[in-house]
Amino acid sequence: MVDLAAEFEAERGHLLAVAHRMLGSRSEAEDAVQETWLRYAKALADPADRAQIRDLRGWLTTTCSRICLDVLRSARVRREAYPGQWLPEPVVTDVPAVDGFAPDPAERAVRAEQLGTALLVVLERLTPEQRVAFVLHDVFAVPFGTVADVLGTTPVAARQLASRARRAVAGPDSPRHTADLAEQQRVLTAFVAAVESGELDGLVQVLAPDVVMIGDGGGHVPAARRPVVGAVAVARFLLGLFGQAARHGGRLVARPVLVDGALGWQAETVYRGQPLRMVTSFAVHDGRVTGVFNQVNPEKVARLAGLGADADWPPRW
């Protein structure tokens, strides 16, 4: 069992990455990985059975993907009954050092595997089968033969599912997010300055014409029940939010973070006498913000570490 655990732990990070991209929930991804471990230990406790597995990562990835597929199928009912708009549970990590914005090839390759909030939101539109096919093949380069085994279909059908998912992901109403960290830093610095100025025209210039803003309050915190779309509408909504926070006497403090690999911030304020925690992430393309994603559902930010004494406003990357 010690050897089994060591081999599994070496693959845990990969499995978490697969599960999170499929499920959009860190807690559900961790549960799926734990279930994968239980099936692995049960199936491979017999040395003879263990010897038949020649590609451990492939076996674990297939098993984890099947578990995720079952979760996705059951989750559709829960998501349809979700109060208001849904955003994924954010995975928050520290911003790299100052030189971390340099275009280092190895660093780019690591971050290229991070989907970001924008794509996770788009993936919610897919059927469970399309999502699994897309994540396995397009994100992790799993052959269609293996994808077909996971889905219980043929390689041709698996290829068609991935193709339909690819078209949906690249659709005209999907927030585009192509900027590297250096460009994200420049754009978000201008975005924060425009918000601080309080001038509508200045903020509109930083936003793409078809920018979309989504807020997830989970029924616990007030948030728009539908996406806010368009530069003018989003700019007015944002300026209203910041003005409202000031009127309620809550001082906003934040620290820059990476949210699913893209720049954003983790913030805290007081709203109507109660502490409010939030994580805001962005999609950036062609020098403008194309998506603003504000996670204020207490259940999805409860596990985040505190901001620390150096938190301030505005955030500076």
Side-chain angles (χ1 to χ4, degrees), residues 31-317:
D31 289 344
V33 172
Q34 183 61 24
E35 177 62 24
T36 303
W37 156 250
L38 294 175
R39 296 189 187 185
Y40 172 61
K42 180 179 179 180
L44 303 183
D46 185 339
D49 292 339
R50 181 182 177 186
Q52 295 178 12
I53 297 180
R54 303 188 181 279
D55 177 8
L56 178 59
R57 169 169 286 199
W59 188 92
L60 291 174
T61 300
T62 297
T63 300
C64 186
S65 298
R66 287 172 176 157
I67 293 168
C68 289
L69 181 60
D70 290 339
V71 174
L72 283 171
R73 285 167 172 164
S74 63
R76 292 189 69 83
V77 176
R78 298 199 308 273
R79 299 277 167 83
E80 288 171 358
Y82 193 80
Q85 301 177 88
W86 182 94
L87 287 174
E89 187 179 333
V91 176
V92 174
T93 54
D94 291 334
V95 174
V98 175
D99 60 355
F101 292 108
D104 177 70
E107 190 71 17
R108 281 204 308 267
V110 171
R111 291 187 182 130
E113 294 183 355
Q114 310 230 25
L115 292 183
T117 306
L119 187 51
L120 286 171
V121 169
V122 175
L123 291 181
E124 283 296 306
R125 306 174 186 175
L126 307 179
T127 68
E129 293 76 14
Q130 288 172 347
R131 184 165 184 165
V132 169
F134 177 84
V135 170
L136 284 179
H137 182 266
D138 285 44
V139 179
F140 292 98
V142 174
F144 279 120
T146 303
V147 177
D149 289 340
V150 172
L151 297 175
T153 187
T154 66
V156 172
R159 186 185 298 274
Q160 291 174 341
L161 287 166
S163 178
R164 294 190 189 104
R166 204 175 299 120
R167 288 196 296 271
V169 167
D173 59 341
S174 300
R176 301 165 307 288
H177 181 58
T178 59
D180 59 20
L181 287 182
E183 183 180 356
Q184 291 175 46
Q185 181 191 29
R186 292 192 298 270
V187 172
L188 294 188
T189 298
F191 172 86
V192 171
V195 168
E196 284 290 283
S197 74
E199 295 180 1
L200 180 66
D201 291 343
L203 183 52
V204 167
Q205 294 302 312
V206 185
L207 304 174
D210 57 351
V211 62
V212 60
M213 181 173 181
I214 298 176
D216 180 351
H220 304 287
V221 177
R225 295 192 64 84
R226 294 184 179 181
V228 181
V229 181
V232 174
V234 170
R236 286 177 174 161
F237 193 90
L238 285 168
L239 294 178
L241 282 180
F242 281 89
Q244 188 178 55
R247 287 193 299 273
H248 283 282
R251 177 174 179 264
L252 182 65
V253 294
R255 72 180 183 101
V257 293
L258 294 180
V259 186
D260 296 311
L263 287 183
W265 63 63
Q266 177 185 341
E268 295 179 1
T269 188
V270 175
Y271 180 74
R272 295 182 176 176
Q274 298 295 322
L276 177 65
R277 307 177 76 187
M278 68 188 77
V279 173
T280 304
S281 55
F282 299 86
V284 177
H285 171 76
D286 199 21
R288 291 186 176 184
V289 174
T290 60
V292 183
F293 310 100
N294 201 29
Q295 180 58 264
V296 290
N297 184 344
E299 295 178 349
K300 295 184 180 181
V301 298
R303 299 197 304 170
L304 297 178
L307 290 182
D310 58 343
D312 200 359
W313 184 267
R316 293 179 176 85
W317 292 273

Side-chain angles (χ1 to χ4, degrees), residues 7-17 30 33-34 37:
E7 290 177 352
F8 182 85
E9 285 303 316
E11 301 295 339
R12 180 180 290 274
H14 167 74
L15 295 176
L16 272 172
E30 290 172 348
V33 172
Q34 183 61 24
W37 156 250

